[in-house]
Amino acid sequence: MPRPGLRLVRQWVEGGYAYKAELYDHIVGETVSPTPTPVTDEPPLTATWWSDLRTALGRVSTVDTDRTAVRQAYLDRAMPKYLAFLGGPVPTAPRAWSTAHGDLHWANLTGPELGLLDWEGWGTAPAGYDAALLHAYSIGRPKAAERVRQELSPVLDSEDGRFAELAVITELLQSAERGDNVELVPALRQRAEEVWHRVSADGVIRVQ
């Protein structure tokens, strides 16, 4: 797995709060972007980089864990609220769960050699979650978003991927209420409507 080696972990309680500190190896290269969203329309990444990312996400998805990145209770509560503008009953139960990095955005990816950073939130999530999250963070840069869709199409063009997109859009719309990535809101809402049009009357996400 292309991630820094974990050297040391310390946990302690102080003043009624629990703390955890992790010491990792220094990364090789630099983050693709200083922010979760890409700073350019087309991040300068090679075909090998994308191939390595697909391989890494495939490996992560098969890891057996009792850690949780996204909870069903959250989906049941948040998706109907933040996707109410779609005008219909929103499916909240994914067909499948798998293990995810859980925070896959451009500031947690390195280049020119692939590296995945910031692993404290990894755990089970709706299948396709990581690919959907990277796409959602890219959506303000149409060329970058198109590249993500092209490179991760086996996931994003699946029924699982469609549901994962609705789930991560829910999360980002909620975080925008706190002032995070507010500029993405119009594009996120538009993308949710595009995905929603592939949802059948029985709540199953169809691929056209």
Side-chain angles (χ1 to χ4, degrees), residues 112-128:
E113 179 180 339
L114 174 66
L116 281 71
L117 311 178
D118 199 7
W119 284 85
E120 76 269 13
W122 72 276
T124 55

Side-chain angles (χ1 to χ4, degrees), residues 10 23 74 89 109 139 143 161 167:
R10 288 287 184 268
L23 178 64
Y74 169 79
L109 293 166
I139 207 164
K143 289 185 178 179

Side-chain angles (χ1 to χ4, degrees), residues 8-91:
L8 192 64
V9 178
R10 288 287 184 268
Q11 300 183 74
W12 69 96
V13 176
E14 181 178 334
Y17 293 93
Y19 298 89
K20 181 178 182 179
E22 300 179 342
L23 178 64
Y24 286 89
D25 287 337
H26 195 278
I27 65 169
V28 176
E30 298 180 352
T31 56
V32 177
S33 171
T35 62
T37 57
V39 294
T40 62
D41 288 333
E42 297 183 87
L45 303 168
T46 65
T48 297
W49 189 96
W50 285 105
S51 177
D52 290 344
L53 178 62
R54 290 191 294 271
T55 298
L57 296 185
R59 289 174 177 169
V60 169
S61 70
T62 64
V63 173
D64 186 26
T65 181
D66 58 1
R67 293 173 57 99
T68 301
V70 180
R71 298 185 182 278
Q72 182 63 59
Y74 169 79
L75 299 178
D76 291 339
R77 180 178 69 256
M79 291 183 73
K81 176 180 178 180
Y82 290 96
L83 299 180
F85 65 91
L86 295 175
V90 177

